[in-house]
Amino acid sequence: MIILKVDTNPQSFKFIPRSKTYDGLFLKDESENKTTQITIDSTASNDYYETITATFHTASPAFDLVENRFYRLLVKNGTDIVFRDRVFVTNQTDLSNYSVNNGVYNSNSSTNEFIIYE
């Protein structure tokens, strides 16, 4: 799974494609079932993987990533699918300690002491 942020700056992700040639990047919002083509800013080719840098914020037609939402990512070469994956969008910085309840659930501590008899 690829993790992206809600950001207007270019973001990069690495992937292992089926072929080294590709020309299209598409995101499909799983909640709204809308597909948008994303312009690839730059690519980098390595021995076993590729890196794509793109701006996932488009003005025309308007498309913005929404936090805590899943997307389907397709990398295509013409009509052939070269790579597919799932994308999750979050702005949390520490992904090793990711929590779906970040900032939502607050625990309260109390000084009340009680005894339970069984």
Side-chain angles (χ1 to χ4, degrees):
M1 184 176 344
I2 297 170
I3 307 292
L4 295 176
K5 295 181 181 242
V6 178
D7 196 355
T8 57
N9 296 322
Q11 300 181 62
S12 302
F13 65 92
K14 297 175 184 175
F15 66 102
I16 300 173
R18 294 180 184 151
S19 72
K20 292 282 189 177
T21 57
Y22 47 88
D23 56 7
L25 174 63
F26 298 88
L27 272 183
K28 180 178 183 179
D29 188 340
E30 291 185 354
S31 297
E32 297 180 0
N33 202 21
K34 293 181 182 177
T35 303
T36 303
Q37 183 171 6
I38 304 296
T39 304
I40 299 172
D41 294 339
S42 65
T43 62
S45 182
N46 297 304
D47 290 337
Y48 301 105
Y49 65 92
E50 300 282 315
T51 303
I52 287 182
T53 302
T55 303
F56 294 92
H57 168 79
T58 61
S60 176
F63 176 77
D64 291 322
L65 294 176
V66 179
E67 189 171 7
N68 298 325
R69 192 174 283 185
F70 286 97
Y71 296 86
R72 291 282 176 190
L73 178 128
L74 292 175
V75 178
K76 292 184 176 182
N77 183 23
T79 59
D80 297 332
I81 296 175
V82 176
F83 178 75
R84 74 173 64 209
D85 203 350
R86 199 164 188 206
V87 173
F88 183 67
V89 178
T90 182
N91 283 337
Q92 291 188 29
T93 54
D94 185 14
L95 295 178
S96 62
N97 293 325
Y98 174 78
S99 172
V100 294
N101 297 327
N102 185 30
V104 176
Y105 176 76
N106 296 321
S107 62
N108 295 325
S109 61
S110 174
T111 59
N112 292 340
E113 294 182 15
F114 56 92
I115 300 172
I116 298 177
Y117 294 104
E118 293 185 25

